[in-house]
Amino acid sequence: MTDDSRPILGIGMVGYAFMGTAHSHGWRNARSFFDLPLAPRLAVLGGRQVERAHAVAERFGWEQVETDWRALINRDDIGLVDVCTPGDSHPEIAIAALEAGKHVLCEKPLANSVAEAEAMVEAAQAARDRGVRSMVGFTYRRVPAVKLAQTLVAQGRIGEIRHVRAQYLQDWLVDPQVPMSWRLEKDRAGSGSLGDIGAHIVDLTQFITGEQISGVSAMMETFGRQRPQPEPAAGTGSKLGGHVGDAESAELGEVTVDDAAVFLGRFTGGALATFEATRYATGRKNAIRIEINGSAGALAFDFEDMNVLHFYDADEESSSAGFRRILVTEPEHPYLEAWWPPGHLLGYEHGFTHQAVDLLTAIAEDRDPEPSFEDGLRVQKVLAAVERSATKDSAWTTV
Amino acid sequence: MTDDSRPILGIGMVGYAFMGTAHSHGWRNARSFFDLPLAPRLAVLGGRQVERAHAVAERFGWEQVETDWRALINRDDIGLVDVCTPGDSHPEIAIAALEAGKHVLCEKPLANSVAEAEAMVEAAQAARDRGVRSMVGFTYRRVPAVKLAQTLVAQGRIGEIRHVRAQYLQDWLVDPQVPMSWRLEKDRAGSGSLGDIGAHIVDLTQFITGEQISGVSAMMETFGRQRPQPEPAAGTGSKLGGHVGDAESAELGEVTVDDAAVFLGRFTGGALATFEATRYATGRKNAIRIEINGSAGALAFDFEDMNVLHFYDADEESSSAGFRRILVTEPEHPYLEAWWPPGHLLGYEHGFTHQAVDLLTAIAEDRDPEPSFEDGLRVQKVLAAVERSATKDSAWTTV
Amino acid sequence: MTDDSRPILGIGMVGYAFMGTAHSHGWRNARSFFDLPLAPRLAVLGGRQVERAHAVAERFGWEQVETDWRALINRDDIGLVDVCTPGDSHPEIAIAALEAGKHVLCEKPLANSVAEAEAMVEAAQAARDRGVRSMVGFTYRRVPAVKLAQTLVAQGRIGEIRHVRAQYLQDWLVDPQVPMSWRLEKDRAGSGSLGDIGAHIVDLTQFITGEQISGVSAMMETFGRQRPQPEPAAGTGSKLGGHVGDAESAELGEVTVDDAAVFLGRFTGGALATFEATRYATGRKNAIRIEINGSAGALAFDFEDMNVLHFYDADEESSSAGFRRILVTEPEHPYLEAWWPPGHLLGYEHGFTHQAVDLLTAIAEDRDPEPSFEDGLRVQKVLAAVERSATKDSAWTTV
Amino acid sequence: MTDDSRPILGIGMVGYAFMGTAHSHGWRNARSFFDLPLAPRLAVLGGRQVERAHAVAERFGWEQVETDWRALINRDDIGLVDVCTPGDSHPEIAIAALEAGKHVLCEKPLANSVAEAEAMVEAAQAARDRGVRSMVGFTYRRVPAVKLAQTLVAQGRIGEIRHVRAQYLQDWLVDPQVPMSWRLEKDRAGSGSLGDIGAHIVDLTQFITGEQISGVSAMMETFGRQRPQPEPAAGTGSKLGGHVGDAESAELGEVTVDDAAVFLGRFTGGALATFEATRYATGRKNAIRIEINGSAGALAFDFEDMNVLHFYDADEESSSAGFRRILVTEPEHPYLEAWWPPGHLLGYEHGFTHQAVDLLTAIAEDRDPEPSFEDGLRVQKVLAAVERSATKDSAWTTV
């Protein structure tokens, strides 16, 4: 029906829960709202439970379903593999896909250990030489206000950075009746708050500042060590505390990951930083809060008001200086040209659309997308340093 | 590929500009995120400019294109006609569609005059007897925070309403170089700020309070009476000040609508109200601000922070009473069960998805959806009273 | 004990309730925190109830007490009379004081009627020729953020003003058990919300914009027409709903003033305005909210966050434009040089200190202070126009 | 002139700069606005520079001046000594005063070292046995919103505390031209941000939670190691960066204290905490920000909006739960009965009035006021642990 002559890239996505839903939406919307050099085709959805996979495929327009991810990555009609499974399976799938010559988008965290992440980076580097691209899914970089923050820093409007404070605050574990899930098991998730949400603020602050975290001093805590096993349930899986288990009992399960992690950090440019990642911050639902103070200005962001960036310009006359509440919905703002008129807000899932757009554009332009697997490894190394420091009485630990 | 056994409803949408884009997205997403009793099929997109229509169809998955809306409404595979054209063509298309036995979703304002709106209501009433449904597109009712506000009022948590203050503030006309568009021509748009955005706050306050505006005292103003004619341009048309004209000159055009309207109002329950709709509110991009004070509590909403509802419960002890900042992203909140975990915000376009869901559900359940054409007519009558009062030295004018 | 060689001005204050307390504090603090050209001496406190007067005098350091205001204004050691009584006695006391050659500070509203206010202006003009100064107590002009707002407008940073929206919202009458007081009696108070708090937003918007309100269209309402008579009580009288009556019964009294007034207005420069003054705005305690939108910028102020002024500069690049939250505590800000370091907030009563400073400075410099009685009369005329319009079906009424 | 029969307590205050001004105001206002069991008399102001002392005495009504603090504390008409000098002289003056049988109010930090603070505690304990009272001046405890926070925790409305995050952010050192002052010299000030402002958040979080900090892991930094020497200057000394030096050169001085300190902490109840004290937080003027998350609720406070406490009650139904913005100006709120009607804000200096009221009341009622010197010592020990940890690669350090 259309005369679309752009090249087409077949997408194969593995996983269909929370992230699978968000990614499906992103792939589809990228094509609807942006002028893309490469048209994504929602070709194959990979999932072990065939009925649930079909249900998600039907809802989002995936053309086919594969229950074996190996079959998926080897299909000729697949040019890109999107890995949306829990972290423990990332290395195997991503490496296999890269070796099969497929571009890879891998959800964060890249892996559950530094060693695994290093193997993935190696695979990515090898693939890169063959023109095969890879990216890790730190989608919050694609929130327009976050990208604007990064741009202002890069333009020098914040100056030399002295302070970073970053928190990722949720409260879904405050209720002791919230059941066990794979996110609370070390074997599956690698870590708890630290890897799930702490990873985001590590990546975001490194992204925005353009600097690296060179060392940390940390504490970790598990407030609730036992939780009821969940009821089995179905659904589109777009919730965090979802009922994904198989057990039907009211037995208790052991929480083997951290509920909260706090750490101090030093950035390569000398800035002092405080970090906090927790699922026990009563009243805070998904508060990714980042503040940066520099010699020339300051920034503040809170994902619970995600269309806004607060910016203080120290060059303004002090009589009229103040944090500006920038409503990041102008056509001049990152990604906004494609969306609605000013003042018409974007939501959580838009980041996934922007991720798809950026990745497809990089592939079409034959260059490496960001964040790279190396970026993902760097985050992993910070998380590992946090864990080491927490077990050594908070001793300073170089990343 | 799917075993979906739900009935299917073929959608035919007329218009493909700003509203057409938003509606397309809404129809598609309704199916992806909600469990619908009736599956919408994006069957036909109607638009006079065939190339632009095809481009939009391609992007959103409309199966076919028709350049003649009459052909569209008479197709057998169309069960619902979605009217997204400028207001001057609403009556003709909507009435024809209803007479053709198609359900109708008609963008707001229902029409450019009370007489036209009355004719549409008549058609809707006749159709209703035949099981044909109609709805007017006041989508802001579907913002979860707005629906929550309505719910709290209906539950009596605000008590007897004494004050309503409502503003719809934009600033896209402050720049005198913003070009002419159909939105600035009385023939096309009916009115300016009043009909375009004032209509929303009239509807929203009537919806939330469950009361009607019984009379008004008004002033209207056009600050910028001449504007340059626009350059011709293409695009997906998701912008307000879009380049939709045909003229190529730098000539000036006459603005024949109001830039701003302010009015006092009385609600049927006795509350005093102030209203303001303007495109000259420098710094405000799409600030739909509604505050309600009642004998038992109060509410405040601002679309520029659309996922939040502020609620004051006068029953709380005064020592710990205060406006609660409700982040309307809990599964218990309207429409939220289908979306992301708490704290993951929704955006502007979600209202269109919710609109599609509500309409499809009403059709499947064989009942009348809301807001009805009668609701649209009621808004129209308020707008007409505002215009009359403004021309009579603000004299009190009964609706 | 001191070598202070500045001239001294003996202050005689009539009234010792809410306003008397605030003024006492202001006179005293002016001397403590500011370098004044003229030293105020808290010489005589005038009050009919001698014991209460003595108690207040003792607390604030008034040297003597007079129960007869006529005796007070005729004392040789009094150079300035500060009128803090209810509005019905303003004209008699202020005119007598001016005729006795005393400078006069008169609380707002200047009088309860335009005719009285005109007589006062006449007296002020006659006195002015003899070097006798007069000022009306619109202290909110002295909130630093308000003065900063006025300065920004005067500097042209807001440009041509298009919109003014002003609200003075309180909720102390929402509770039907709040007793009668002189503020609810037309004979004593002149009017209700309109004169008590509406007067402030009329004055403030005229002050900030530098323009006059030329006409209005208005509605007024009394939601609670009967209230219990109060218990007799003592105290320093710093509360609004204070127990100032003499009746001991549980009888009901008739509220003879408005609880709320809303009106549209036009400013001399063409701006459209909405005004609302109410004591029924549940949840709002003393919310003086003023917003101004102009061709070059915008301002927003809320007294419930009184140390902050929000300023939008339309000249900023749109990618980094936003309302600045100016914390008005820098030494460069109005009145702040005399106070604490940045970030150390001021409170409600500081306005009274600033008022004393400004008045004493004007007297010492032999020039007329502002706001003048003429300014007070102008406010009175707007209030009178509001009342006339409200009784004539909101018909447009020229001020 | 008055029949005041209350006992009188003669106050002797040593020091007249920033804190001296604030305390003078506090003593005076306590008497004006509160019903005190004991009337404070501003008897003697002690200061080495006799002219500046006389100027301050004249402004605030101190009856006499002494240039020798020893003479001051031995006067018979002095019952209470208020120590407002820099920290290095606190121990000597406070101990001597206690030994002379005078009640003592000592500004924070109690001393510049733990050893000194311990000596002071010893003196306080000895004095206590003789009915002589002592208090350390952590005035921020007397901000009504802070006291309300403490009350809510004590009532169990926050539950078991899991997270504390506390920041004291200023930016007055960001400008490299800000001159040297005693606050930047280790000999005079003991420490920099840590002791000056970090002390406050240590005390406040311990006060609000009712728990102690048991250990810390810390980093400290001096961003600007050299600063110009100040010009000599006079003034009332109410500013932080005041010109208090004697040098007239443009020479550079060495900054020997920390500009910023960040640390992790553990509370005795198990909560994880992050702390940050800095004078380099561009855009933040005096942002004391404290957040507490517990099993039953949460609190948030920012001194830059000091009349507000945010409170989240986890017992509310999730559909209408949210952080309540409590405007702490109701008569039911701590200290508010004495002040203005609801919505009329208090400022920075009100804390000093409340401090005077609480101290005078405790003395009159013959009980120990809070915070005690023991409380001051406890803060000192935390600060010492922070300094130790910072020099030991952030190793965990027990308090």
Side-chain angles (χ1 to χ4, degrees), chain D residues 194-236:
Chain D
L194 181 64
D196 184 27
I197 57 179
H200 280 298
I201 49 176
V202 168
D203 181 67
L204 284 175
T205 53
Q206 295 191 141
F207 170 63
I208 294 171
T209 61
E211 300 182 14
Q212 304 297 322
I213 298 167
S214 59
V216 296
S217 167
M219 296 168 75
M220 296 172 74
E221 182 60 88
T222 304
F223 294 112
R225 298 208 164 261
Q226 290 191 318
R227 291 192 169 271
Q229 294 290 1
E231 299 286 320
T236 58

Side-chain angles (χ1 to χ4, degrees), chain D residues 82-225:
Chain D
D82 182 3
V83 186
C84 290
T85 54
D88 56 339
S89 56
H90 288 183
E92 190 177 16
I93 303 175
I95 292 171
L98 288 167
E99 289 176 349
K102 315 296 186 183
H103 306 299
V104 169
L105 170 59
C106 181
E107 250 309 307
K108 50 62 54 184
L110 193 56
N112 284 354
S113 74
V114 169
E116 287 174 331
E118 284 173 336
M120 294 172 79
V121 163
E122 216 169 297
Q125 285 169 344
R128 195 176 291 151
D129 297 339
R130 290 173 280 125
V132 175
R133 309 292 165 192
S134 49
M135 188 164 102
V136 61
F138 286 112
T139 30
Y140 286 121
R141 287 188 179 203
R142 268 84 191 190
V143 172
V146 169
K147 176 66 185 159
L148 177 61
Q150 185 265 340
T151 304
L152 290 169
V153 171
Q155 290 171 345
R157 300 198 66 179
I158 310 305
E160 195 179 326
I161 294 172
R162 266 78 174 255
H163 288 291
V164 175
R165 61 195 72 83
Q167 297 138 23
Y168 198 141
L169 309 178
Q170 298 181 333
D171 72 353
W172 57 283
L173 290 184
V174 171
D175 178 355
Q177 292 310 308
V178 168
M180 285 298 300
S181 81
W182 69 265
R183 289 176 186 275
L184 305 182
E185 296 169 25
K186 191 167 185 60
D187 289 350
R188 302 289 306 286
S191 72
S193 281
L194 181 64
D196 184 27
I197 57 179
H200 280 298
I201 49 176
V202 168
D203 181 67
L204 284 175
T205 53
Q206 295 191 141
F207 170 63
I208 294 171
T209 61
E211 300 182 14
Q212 304 297 322
I213 298 167
S214 59
V216 296
S217 167
M219 296 168 75
M220 296 172 74
E221 182 60 88
T222 304
F223 294 112
R225 298 208 164 261

Side-chain angles (χ1 to χ4, degrees), chain B residues 119-135:
Chain B
M120 293 170 80
V121 163
E122 214 167 300
Q125 286 168 342
R128 194 175 292 151
D129 297 338
R130 290 172 281 126
V132 176
R133 309 293 164 189
S134 49
M135 189 165 101

Side-chain angles (χ1 to χ4, degrees), chain B residues 19 23 82-83 90 104-110 134-142 200 203 348 351-352 355 359 370-373 376:
Chain B
M19 275 306 110
H23 282 234
D82 182 3
V83 185
H90 288 183
V104 170
L105 169 59
C106 181
E107 251 309 307
K108 49 64 53 183
L110 194 57
S134 49
M135 189 165 101
V136 61
F138 287 112
T139 32
Y140 286 120
R141 288 187 176 203
R142 268 83 190 191
H200 280 298
D203 181 66
Y348 165 68
F352 294 91
Q355 173 172 270
L359 177 51
E370 289 196 327
S372 64
F373 278 21

Side-chain angles (χ1 to χ4, degrees), chain B residues 312-314 316-323, chain D residues 324-327 333:
Chain B
Y312 183 90
D313 184 342
E316 283 164 2
E317 275 186 66
S318 69
S319 62
S320 57
F323 275 88
Chain D
R324 301 181 198 173
R325 186 181 188 274
I326 305 175
L327 192 61
H333 286 139

Side-chain angles (χ1 to χ4, degrees), chain A residues 23-97:
Chain A
H23 282 233
S24 296
H25 185 73
W27 289 116
R28 191 172 61 173
N29 257 10
R31 190 167 178 170
S32 300
F33 287 92
F34 287 79
D35 295 320
L36 298 172
L38 196 59
R41 187 174 133 227
L42 280 68
V44 185
L45 175 65
R48 277 178 297 187
Q49 296 181 42
V50 68
E51 275 178 40
R52 287 190 60 203
H54 270 295
V56 174
E58 167 62 22
R59 280 166 177 261
F60 286 96
W62 292 95
E63 294 172 13
Q64 298 183 36
V65 161
E66 288 272 11
T67 54
D68 175 7
W69 63 261
R70 288 176 202 278
L72 180 148
I73 67 173
N74 287 313
R75 287 173 61 131
D76 289 342
D77 59 348
I78 296 298
L80 184 149
V81 175
D82 181 2
V83 186
C84 291
T85 54
D88 56 339
S89 56
H90 288 183
E92 189 177 15
I93 304 175
I95 292 171

Side-chain angles (χ1 to χ4, degrees), chain A residues 1-2 35 58-59 63 238, chain B residues 1-2 35 58-59 63:
Chain A
M1 184 193 110
T2 171
D35 295 320
E58 167 62 22
R59 280 166 177 261
E63 294 172 13
S238 63
Chain B
M1 188 191 105
T2 172
D35 295 320
E58 167 62 22
R59 280 166 176 261
E63 296 171 12

